[in-house]
């Protein structure tokens, strides 16, 4: 019997071409773009706009809640939609961590509505993390804030663990050094932190987050402190009591949040810290006098945050439902 021929080795040129093709495929799969869904889901933009507009009109607090949900998803472990996953009998998910229990229901409902409509139009195509990123940008813009580009093509996380958030989200009681270190560990500068803090120009905070400081913190305007005591007087019996972060224009995205701080009208201890610390005070004063500069820096910081720690290609998935892994 004739000896079998040894296996043929492809010529070096063929190997190089195959490697290049494989690398290019991976690159294309992982690359974000502004028109990522233009061919696979042409109705993506219209569906998002219609869903967002209807929800915001029906529930005007949706914008602030969605912005907060976006921060709580992205800052700890990257923008991967892990905040949207529900807990199971075997796993306590991020959304049930103590720091996330006060997240309102409207933004979760918005994401579910958008995902449902998109699944009907383009099944298994649009990620939940992309939906959250676009919804946040569009809602900020609807309230008068800056428009910024959102690059698309994120994949969703397959895991969500409450324990993974420890020390990765800002708390109102943190010192300014702690806050600066927290943002720095995720690659954000002091100025970017101050710009992102301008998100407090909309939305509200629950009394439990600041009521214990009203009498002890001398940074409060005395009349404002008295009004806060009255507004939160029933807090022990009603933990849902809350106050607008910006009492002047609570439903408008502007720079009045920064103008309020020197007047003692900041709500949280961390708000007062921004104006009281020499590392952050110059940026507060800058944004208080120049709204265009605030908008410009906020947009840049949000664009940077929106691609922080993202998953692309095979590192993530397109969830069929945003509240459960496939």
């Amino acid at each position: 019997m004739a000896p079998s021929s040894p296996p043929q080795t492809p010529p070096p040129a063929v190997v190089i071409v195959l490697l290049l093709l494989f690398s290019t495929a991976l690159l294309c799969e992982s690359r974000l773009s502004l028109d990522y869904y233009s061919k696979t889901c042409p109705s993506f933009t219209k569906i998002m706009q219609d869903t967002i507009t209807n929800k915001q009109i029906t529930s005007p607090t949706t914008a602030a809640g969605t912005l907060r949900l976006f921060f709580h998803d992205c800052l700890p472990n990257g923008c991967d939609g892990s905040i949207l996953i529900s807990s199971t009998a075997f796993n306590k998910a991020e959304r049930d961590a103590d720091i996330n229990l006060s997240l309102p229901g409207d933004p979760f409902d918005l994401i579910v509505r958008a995902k449902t409509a998109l699944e009907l139009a383009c099944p298994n195509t649009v990620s939940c993390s992309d939906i959250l990123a676009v919804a946040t940008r569009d809602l900020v813009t609807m309230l008068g804030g800056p428009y910024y580009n959102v690059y698309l093509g994120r994949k969703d996380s397959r895991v969500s663990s409450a324990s993974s958030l420890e020390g990765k989200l800002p708390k109102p009681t943190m010192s300014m050094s702690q806050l600066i270190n927290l943002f720095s560990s995720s690659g954000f500068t002091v100025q970017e932190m101050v710009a992102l803090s301008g998100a407090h120009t909309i939305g509200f905070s629950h009394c439990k987050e600041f009521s214990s400081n009203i009498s002890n913190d001398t940074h409060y305007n005395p009349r404002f402190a008295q009004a806060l005591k009255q507004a939160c007087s029933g807090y022990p019996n009603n933990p849902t009591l809350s106050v607008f972060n910006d009492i002047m224009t609570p439903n408008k995205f502007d720079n009045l949040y920064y103008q309020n701080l020197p007047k003692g009208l900041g709500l949280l201890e961390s708000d007062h810290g921004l104006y009281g610390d020499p590392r952050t005070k110059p940026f507060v004063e800058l944004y208080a006098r120049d709204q265009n500069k605030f908008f410009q820096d906020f947009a840049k910081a949000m664009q940077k945050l929106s691609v922080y720690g993202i998953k692309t290609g095979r590192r993530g998935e397109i969830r069929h439902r945003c509240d459960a892994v496939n």
Side-chain angles (χ1 to χ4, degrees):
M1 189 170 73
S4 59
S5 302
Q8 298 242 332
T9 304
V14 174
V15 174
I16 292 172
V17 169
L18 288 172
L19 284 173
L20 284 173
L21 287 172
F22 180 68
S23 300
T24 303
L26 283 179
L27 185 63
C28 290
E29 186 181 38
S30 302
R31 185 181 295 146
L32 301 187
S33 65
L34 295 174
D35 59 351
Y36 188 83
Y37 298 113
S38 61
K39 294 181 180 178
T40 56
C41 191
S43 55
F44 169 74
T45 300
K46 185 178 188 309
I47 290 174
M48 287 296 298
Q49 289 175 343
D50 290 348
T51 308
I52 291 164
T53 301
N54 291 336
K55 180 62 181 178
Q56 178 64 15
I57 290 172
T58 307
S59 306
T61 59
T62 299
T66 304
L67 182 54
R68 188 169 171 224
L69 182 65
F70 174 77
F71 277 126
H72 282 232
D73 182 46
C74 295
L75 195 59
N77 302 306
C79 300
D80 59 7
S82 53
I83 188 73
L84 304 170
I85 297 174
S86 295
S87 296
T88 68
F90 309 102
N91 177 61
K92 183 178 179 180
E94 290 178 24
R95 67 191 291 175
D96 288 320
D98 288 347
I99 198 168
N100 285 333
L101 292 178
S102 61
L103 289 172
D106 282 324
F108 289 100
D109 179 60
L110 168 63
I111 305 305
V112 168
R113 291 186 187 197
K115 179 64 171 173
T116 301
L118 287 164
E119 282 297 304
L120 289 172
C122 341
N124 200 31
T125 301
V126 180
S127 68
C128 302
S129 43
D130 275 350
I131 293 172
L132 178 55
V134 171
T136 302
R137 188 273 313 278
D138 287 358
L139 286 164
V140 165
T141 306
M142 280 180 69
L143 295 191
Y147 180 92
Y148 54 92
N149 286 327
V150 173
Y151 288 85
L152 302 170
R154 297 164 190 77
K155 294 294 175 64
D156 298 323
S157 173
R158 297 186 178 93
V159 296
S160 178
S161 171
S163 60
S164 71
L165 302 184
E166 190 60 39
K168 294 181 179 179
L169 280 169
K171 297 179 181 178
T173 54
M174 283 183 171
S175 68
M176 198 48 52
S177 291
Q178 288 174 314
L179 289 170
I180 289 172
N181 289 338
L182 187 151
F183 277 86
S184 175
S185 67
S186 298
F188 291 88
T189 67
V190 172
Q191 183 164 5
E192 288 170 335
M193 182 192 78
V194 178
L196 290 171
S197 299
H200 284 173
T201 186
I202 56 175
F204 55 85
S205 294
H206 289 92
C207 290
K208 67 177 181 180
E209 296 180 295
F210 60 85
S211 58
S212 60
N213 299 321
I214 299 174
S215 300
N216 305 323
D217 194 333
T218 56
H219 297 104
Y220 283 108
N221 176 291
R223 290 178 62 188
F224 182 49
Q226 192 59 39
L228 290 178
K229 287 179 182 177
Q230 292 177 354
C232 294
S233 59
Y235 147 65
N237 299 320
N238 183 4
T240 63
L241 283 177
S242 55
V243 176
F244 286 121
N245 291 323
D246 171 5
I247 59 168
M248 297 301 184
T249 55
N251 296 311
K252 183 181 179 185
F253 198 98
D254 54 24
N255 70 332
L256 258 66
Y257 163 76
Y258 299 104
Q259 295 181 22
N260 290 339
L261 298 184
K263 302 171 185 174
L265 300 178
L267 189 60
L268 305 174
E269 189 176 338
S270 54
D271 295 332
H272 298 156
L274 287 178
Y275 187 68
D277 193 291
R279 293 168 292 183
T280 51
K281 183 176 180 179
F283 301 120
V284 171
E285 293 174 331
L286 170 63
Y287 297 146
R289 65 175 180 266
D290 190 341
Q291 179 168 280
N292 288 334
K293 178 61 175 170
F294 163 49
F295 277 16
Q296 179 185 1
D297 288 354
F298 180 83
K300 286 180 181 177
M302 284 294 285
Q303 195 166 1
K304 178 177 175 178
L305 179 60
S306 72
V307 294
Y308 170 67
I310 58 170
K311 293 172 174 58
T312 56
R314 296 181 178 87
R315 294 178 59 228
E317 65 179 6
I318 303 292
R319 280 188 227 135
H320 304 310
R321 286 176 40 180
C322 289
D323 62 351
V325 295
N326 294 342

